[in-house]
Amino acid sequence: MRHGYTNSTVGDGALVVKCYEGPEAEVRLRTESRFLRRLRGRLPVPRVHKITPTSVTTRFVPGEHGQDLLDDGRAAEVLAACGRALAGIHRLGIVHGDYGPQNMLFDPVTFEPVAILDWEWAHPGPPVEDLSWCEWIVRTHHPEHVPLLPRFFEAYRREGGPEVPSWGDRHAAMLSRCRDLLDFTARWEPGGGGEKLWRDRLDTTSAWTA
């Protein structure tokens, strides 16, 4: 899947095999497999087919990738759907850890989520982590759609999510996550391209004012 970066994912139209890369790969594999099994029937997640020491295989879920739909002019629908789905996740007391349209598949007609992917970073935590990261994804990869971010936050609140944190709190959470990923890449390949990328992204995020 071309939007991934901490794993290698391949599929054949029936099954999807995800192999984990980088530091703590085994921990992230166990985390993802645990949450996929725990959340099946409660949230739209792929069905687990097989787990090995290095991979998780799930059933293929047909759907349109969220970031592709943003590029295709469906940002309003996708961001609202992201908000509704995130409220459902947070009602279960879970933080996804890498939440946003980059990790979601949607029905191409209704634009409702059919699969929330990549649970390897999931954990208990404050909602601001997911709210801020989805915003960061839009600001970084789809800046033309920043004016539509209120659709995301409004849908989240209408679906029963807590109050959306202030910009200051969201910005601080973005910076914290960027630092975490900088540390991750520095441990994976010191001085490599990933470390440079996240150092640049941290600098860019630090400069945002609202």
Side-chain angles (χ1 to χ4, degrees), residues 98-117:
D98 193 13
Y99 189 79
Q102 81 283 4
N103 280 327
M104 300 178 71
L105 299 176
F106 294 83
D107 184 293
V109 176
T110 65
F111 303 106
E112 287 302 310
V114 295
I116 304 171
L117 310 172

Side-chain angles (χ1 to χ4, degrees), residues 122-196:
H123 61 280
V128 67
E129 293 183 28
D130 285 336
L131 288 162
S132 65
W133 199 244
C134 186
E135 179 177 1
W136 185 91
I137 291 293
V138 174
R139 287 178 176 272
T140 299
H141 300 293
H142 306 275
E144 70 277 16
H145 297 315
V146 168
L148 292 173
L149 280 169
R151 301 285 189 102
F152 167 63
F153 294 124
E154 290 163 5
Y156 177 79
R157 287 290 294 120
R158 283 197 305 270
E159 199 65 22
E163 288 294 331
V164 175
S166 68
W167 163 250
D169 288 342
R170 300 197 315 272
H171 191 214
M174 294 178 199
L175 292 171
S176 177
R177 183 59 177 155
C178 287
R179 293 187 189 102
D180 288 345
L181 290 168
L182 173 58
D183 174 73
F184 179 90
T185 53
R187 288 185 290 120
W188 188 354
E189 185 184 356
E195 182 179 355
K196 181 182 185 303

Side-chain angles (χ1 to χ4, degrees), residues 2-3 66-74 141-142 144-145:
R2 63 188 174 89
H3 298 292
Q67 285 193 284
D68 296 335
L69 289 173
L70 290 183
D71 292 337
D72 291 341
R74 294 295 185 173
H141 300 293
H142 306 275
E144 70 277 16
H145 297 315

Side-chain angles (χ1 to χ4, degrees), residues 17 25 66 87 94 133 137 143 147 192 195 205 209:
V17 182
I94 299 166
W133 199 244
I137 291 293
E195 182 179 355
T205 304
T209 57

Side-chain angles (χ1 to χ4, degrees), residues 1 6-21 29 32 36 46-61 117-118 120:
M1 186 173 292
T6 62
N7 57 79
S8 171
T9 306
V10 296
D12 62 4
L15 299 173
V16 177
V17 182
K18 178 175 177 179
C19 298
Y20 299 77
E21 301 176 354
L29 184 156
E32 179 140 36
L36 287 176
R47 183 184 298 275
V48 173
H49 175 72
K50 183 173 68 173
I51 299 170
T52 76
T54 58
S55 69
V56 172
T57 301
T58 59
R59 299 288 183 181
F60 174 78
V61 179
L117 310 172
D118 288 350
E120 62 189 271

